[in-house]
Amino acid sequence: MSDKIVQSAHFDYTGSKLGMWLFLFTEILLFGGLFLLYAVYRSLYAQDFHNAAQGLSTALGAINTIILLSSSLTMALSIVALRQGRIKYSIVLQTITILFGLAFLVNKYFEWSGHIHEGIYPNSPELLSRSHGEILFYGLYYVMTGLHGIHVVIGMAVIAVVLSFTARGTVSSESFNKLENAGLYWHLVDIIWIYLFPLFYLIT
Amino acid sequence: MENNFYHTPGRYSGIFGWIFSTDHKRIGLLYLGSIFTFFLCGMLLGLAMRLELIAPGRQFVSAQTYNALFTVHGVIMIFLFIIPGIPATLGNFMLPLQIGAQDVAFPRLNLMSWWFYLFGAVVVLTSLFTGGGPPDTGWTFYVPYSVRTGTNVSLAVFGVFLLGISSTLTGLNFITTIHRLRAPGMTWFRMPLFTWSLYATAWVQLLATPIIAITLLLLMVERSFSIGFFDPAKGGDPILFEHLFWIYSHPAVYIMILPAMGAITDIIPVFSRRIIFGYKAIAFSSIAIALLGYLVWGHHMFTSGMSDFSRMIFSLLTFLVAVPSGIKVFNWVASMYKGSIQLDSPMLFTLSFIFLFSIGGLTGLLQGALATNVHVHGTYFIVAHFHYVMFGGTVFAFFAALHYWYPKMFGRLMNEKLARIYWLILFTGFNILYFPMFILGWQGMPRRYYDYLPNYHTGHLISTIGSWILATGVLLMFFNFFRSLSRGEKAGDNPWNGATLEWQTTSPPPTENFESTPEVTKGPYTFR
Ligand code: HEM
Ligand SMILES: [Cu+2]
């Protein structure tokens, strides 16, 4: 191929970032549908939502918020470390980020199983005996935190892949774009939680 | 050996050289092959429905089979054929060529989109033969029926979800490509208007498709876990599903029509030998349509239960969308004024596009008006309207564009004499098939029924005869298409004397598209 063609001769950093941001938009819209449902049903059943929210543990939610916020910090630091050429340090930070993700999921697991134990899960007799708003509140709770949980898993997988690239040297202080994009994705996952937390645990 | 992308050896050979190729041209042709196949499937189902409707009473399918027929026909035509349609096939092929790029911004993502498409298609097709049998909800999957029916809705919906991912990623890719990979001198206002239309379409694909994704996911969740989001017995609201569905599906009609309008806009100047009239107006009207298109979804739900106030707002906004569409039609006609028009096959299809699309668009306005909407909602009037827009509009434009870009893609010309013959067959067949439906609908014939009262017989009979004529035309076109691949006359690089950038390289283009990066010094329709 002739070297006269510039476009592909070197990697387009801005293009890659643009693509990533566009992708994040689509994720926000995906959750947007659920936020819309939340808004509609909250306005229809404000009192029921208030009652139902008492059933969620603010402490567990707060712990998960702290975990995710910290993981965003380690993620950001790992990028700084990589750009400074401190590969080992970056690898450690990426690993910690994944572990934070895992901790989040473990916590979530206990939270969910607690509710299920109490007999509160979609279509359960216990839940169906409650008011309409509470049924919908818990429906939204399971679906929104569930979809978010799936995103946490995907995020962890993406970081793991980039981690292996970093170990092999394909992601490096010259070429840190993949790690940055993985970071952007992780921050998105974080931000969505930042909205879920108050909507389900704080405002009652 | 000639230097073109068919001959350049890649990493893989044979079929793998295609299905693992990241070359946008090969991917475009992969889509083209897939889309042709599904169009033929959809057409066969359409013919089957028309045959059932040839006379009152049961002819050869049961009511349940008929329900499956129109559902699967709709799903295939919408999600497998017309939404990927022009952008994924001709768009993929032409976009980088039109802006002087070597490929799209993310070639591997582009290949992945095709795989998502294929995978989604396979899942949709699997749903027809497994589980409780083909879905019978209509392509709109309205709750509560779609939650209750025993047919294989979940799997079909999952397939559509995958197709949505494919469409979103294509949009993402095109936006980035247009922003980042324009050749030196290719300013925004020197871009061909087909590229402009792809740009507007790509934004719609990107910003609307996630909504259908979540809607369909919710439907699957409802079917598996009965949460009750759309179930009044549990406090949910079925109308909310309709809102979510149309928040995507109205913008989606612009995914279908905008690229078609773009192709038409590129063809008209070439065959009138005149510069396009109102370049900027056409470019901005694409954007305006894309934007306004988000705000009118409620017009599908005038009879579903909405406050009078929202109905009036939605009706008003619907009338507003007609303005940019009208701008385009007037500009096309003005571009032809005093031109030296050549009636080659691409132009014949283009002119029939303008005619049929205008009928489709104007009857759309009739439904935008609240009073008439109540009268015609759920009747054959709607069936006629959307076939005029989608088939008479998009598909005729697609045919025009196929004939126009055929030499670009394959280096040969399609047989022109045959093309004129089947153009006439298609055009007449189309009108015989669908025009009676306007009348039937106006008289009250409801859609989605396998049977009808005897007083509708004449209309249905004419319509069914039309379907045979139309199908003949389609088959002749495919015959010409495939025969010309080997037998067509050699076209040379630029048989139509097009001025846009894709014609400035060889036909078919080399793998890297241009010998050297082109420098653009003039607008896209300057013929002298
Ligand atoms: C090729 C010839 C075609 C024939 C003979 C045909 C015929 C029909 C018929 C008879 C119906 C059902 C009417 C009813 O009972 O309600 C129908 C519905 C439909 N058609 Fe076509 N059609 C054709 C092509 C197309 C194309 C090209 C598209 C779109 C690109 C399309 C999209 C649809 C859709 C979306 C429906 C509605 C399905 C539903 O009610 O859920 N058709 N068509
Ligand atoms: Cu609409």
Side-chain angles (χ1 to χ4, degrees), chain B residues 234-252:
Chain B
K234 296 177 184 166
D237 185 357
I239 305 288
L240 209 48
F241 179 89
E242 291 184 27
H243 278 294
L244 285 170
F245 182 85
W246 287 111
I247 287 177
Y248 163 75
S249 296
H250 186 83

Side-chain angles (χ1 to χ4, degrees), chain B residues 327-340:
Chain B
I327 290 180
K328 282 186 195 278
V329 173
F330 290 133
N331 278 318
W332 292 327
V333 176
S335 303
M336 286 185 279
Y337 179 66
K338 284 190 173 167
S340 51

Side-chain angles (χ1 to χ4, degrees), chain A residues 76-185:
Chain A
L77 289 178
S78 81
I79 297 170
V80 179
L82 187 75
R83 290 179 73 161
Q84 292 171 345
R86 295 150 77 193
I87 307 289
K88 280 230 181 66
Y89 189 41
S90 174
I91 290 183
V92 171
L93 286 164
Q94 289 176 44
T95 317
I96 298 180
T97 312
I98 298 180
L99 291 178
F100 272 134
L102 198 65
F104 176 90
L105 290 175
V106 170
N107 194 3
K108 197 88 236 157
Y109 169 79
F110 283 117
E111 198 187 351
W112 272 35
S113 43
H115 292 301
I116 293 172
H117 199 71
E118 290 166 23
I120 296 181
Y121 53 89
N123 217 20
S124 71
E126 164 65 23
L127 190 58
L128 289 188
S129 69
R130 302 200 179 177
S131 65
H132 282 166
E134 289 190 60
I135 298 176
L136 291 171
F137 179 88
Y138 278 102
L140 284 166
Y141 165 76
Y142 277 110
V143 171
M144 291 178 88
T145 57
L147 189 64
H148 177 258
I150 294 174
H151 279 77
V152 173
V153 175
I154 296 173
M156 286 162 62
V158 170
I159 300 173
V161 171
V162 178
L163 183 71
S164 78
F165 283 155
T166 321
R168 269 189 272 147
T170 28
V171 166
S172 65
S173 55
E174 275 87 59
S175 157
F176 46 83
N177 164 69
K178 285 201 180 71
L179 183 62
E180 271 188 349
N181 281 351
L184 281 176
Y185 187 77

Side-chain angles (χ1 to χ4, degrees), chain B residues 246 249-250 253 296-297 299-300:
Chain B
W246 287 111
S249 296
H250 186 83
V253 308
V296 301
W297 77 86
H299 62 214
H300 295 270

Side-chain angles (χ1 to χ4, degrees), chain B residues 185-433:
Chain B
M186 177 58 79
T187 56
W188 282 88
F189 292 118
R190 280 184 189 156
M191 289 195 320
L193 285 160
F194 181 56
T195 296
W196 263 105
S197 73
L198 289 174
Y199 183 67
T201 311
W203 276 109
V204 183
Q205 285 175 293
L206 192 85
L207 297 183
T209 320
I211 307 290
I212 192 78
I214 191 67
T215 311
L216 297 177
L217 275 182
L218 284 173
L219 181 54
M220 281 153 67
V221 168
E222 276 301 308
R223 281 179 67 86
S224 332
F225 302 107
S226 322
I227 290 183
F229 287 141
F230 308 123
D231 180 357
K234 296 177 184 166
D237 185 357
I239 305 288
L240 209 48
F241 179 89
E242 291 184 27
H243 278 294
L244 285 170
F245 182 85
W246 287 111
I247 287 177
Y248 163 75
S249 296
H250 186 83
V253 308
Y254 299 117
I255 300 180
M256 307 171 198
I257 196 70
L258 278 173
M261 294 168 153
I264 294 303
T265 317
D266 268 16
I267 294 172
I268 286 179
V270 173
F271 292 89
S272 313
R273 314 310 302 163
R274 279 203 58 197
I275 195 161
I276 193 81
F277 182 81
Y279 174 96
K280 284 195 179 169
I282 295 183
F284 286 130
S285 63
S286 290
I287 304 289
I289 291 180
L291 287 177
L292 280 173
Y294 279 99
L295 307 175
V296 301
W297 77 86
H299 62 214
H300 295 270
M301 303 166 54
F302 285 153
T303 58
S304 303
M306 245 199 291
S307 71
D308 278 343
F309 183 68
S310 7
R311 294 202 294 168
M312 274 169 349
I313 299 288
F314 276 125
S315 173
L316 179 75
L317 289 169
T318 302
F319 280 97
L320 282 186
V321 201
V323 174
S325 311
I327 290 180
K328 282 186 195 278
V329 173
F330 290 133
N331 278 318
W332 292 327
V333 176
S335 303
M336 286 185 279
Y337 179 66
K338 284 190 173 167
S340 51
I341 294 175
Q342 296 160 355
L343 285 180
D344 294 302
S345 49
M347 193 60 169
L348 288 175
F349 278 106
T350 298
L351 294 178
S352 38
F353 162 90
I354 298 181
F355 180 74
L356 299 174
F357 175 74
S358 302
I359 297 183
L362 290 170
T363 51
L365 286 179
L366 244 89
Q367 297 157 44
L370 292 172
T372 33
N373 181 282
V374 176
H375 182 65
V376 297
H377 184 91
T379 68
Y380 261 70
F381 195 84
I382 310 288
V383 181
H385 155 73
F386 65 65
H387 280 98
Y388 263 85
V389 184
M390 293 194 292
F391 198 158
T394 304
V395 180
F396 268 71
F398 184 42
F399 289 171
L402 274 181
H403 287 78
Y404 174 57
W405 277 311
Y406 191 91
K408 185 78 248 165
M409 295 188 284
F410 305 109
R412 291 175 189 271
L413 287 165
M414 275 159 102
N415 184 317
E416 181 64 23
K417 210 163 158 199
L418 186 56
R420 287 176 195 205
I421 295 174
Y422 61 70
W423 165 76
L424 192 64
I425 299 180
L426 280 168
F427 185 71
T428 9
F430 180 90
N431 286 298
I432 299 178
L433 167 57

Side-chain angles (χ1 to χ4, degrees), chain A residues 8 12 37 41 45 123 132, chain B residues 102 180 229 233-235 237 240:
Chain A
S8 74
D12 181 7
L37 281 190
Y41 289 136
Y45 304 105
N123 217 20
H132 282 166
Chain B
Q102 212 179 24
R180 299 296 306 162
F229 287 141
K234 296 177 184 166
D237 185 357
L240 209 48

Side-chain angles (χ1 to χ4, degrees), chain B residues 39 43 46-47 49-50 53 66 70 73-74 77-78 81-82 138-139 380 383 386-387 390-391 395 433-434 447-449 467 470:
Chain B
F39 178 65
M43 186 173 84
L47 289 173
M49 281 188 283
R50 280 317 325 165
L53 296 170
Y66 188 85
F70 69 68
H73 169 75
M77 284 302 195
I78 298 286
F81 169 63
I82 205 167
W139 77 279
Y380 261 70
V383 181
F386 65 65
H387 280 98
M390 293 194 292
F391 198 158
V395 180
L433 167 57
Y434 294 116
R447 67 188 278 206
R448 294 177 171 168
Y449 278 81
S467 76
L470 182 77

